[in-house]
Amino acid sequence: HVQGQPPLMTMGLVLSVFWVSSPTLRKRLRDASQMAAEAEKIKVVKAAEAAADAAQLQGEGIARQRRAIIDGLRDSITHGSSETLSTEKISELLLITQYFETLRDIAASNKSSTVFLPNGPGAVNDVATQIRNGMLTGAAGAPDQYRM
């Protein structure tokens, strides 16, 4: 051992000298570092894919729920009659349903305190018209893949 230094300190110096002079060891450490980085990348990608799958499934569930709501509304309105609802009326029912769902979500949030609602005789029709116009205005400025 080196004079004046404890034996473990000398061992550390010997290992340091060995590391600096060993290209094989440096290559293995570099390869291990690259593999660890690649494993982290795979974890991040898989987590993102899982989040995307969860969002897609949630969207499909919401779409089925709304379809069931629309079917239920259509059946309850036309029950016992030969009347059928137009696509426009069904769309209006969906918009109104979404409007009320939004109001429910706003009311359930503890971050909101006041919501102003129209309450006149034609309020629901006015709301449906405003929502439809807003969506059409938004779709007019959107790229082709997002148009309604």
Side-chain angles (χ1 to χ4, degrees), residues 120-140:
V124 173
N125 190 32
D126 290 344
V127 167
T129 302
Q130 289 173 15
I131 293 170
R132 189 179 315 102
N133 290 341
M135 291 179 71
L136 292 175
T137 302

Side-chain angles (χ1 to χ4, degrees), residues 89-102:
K89 288 292 183 185
I90 292 171
S91 176
E92 190 172 305
L93 283 172
L94 177 61
L95 288 173
I96 292 169
T97 302
Q98 288 174 336
Y99 173 74
F100 287 125
E101 285 177 1
T102 302

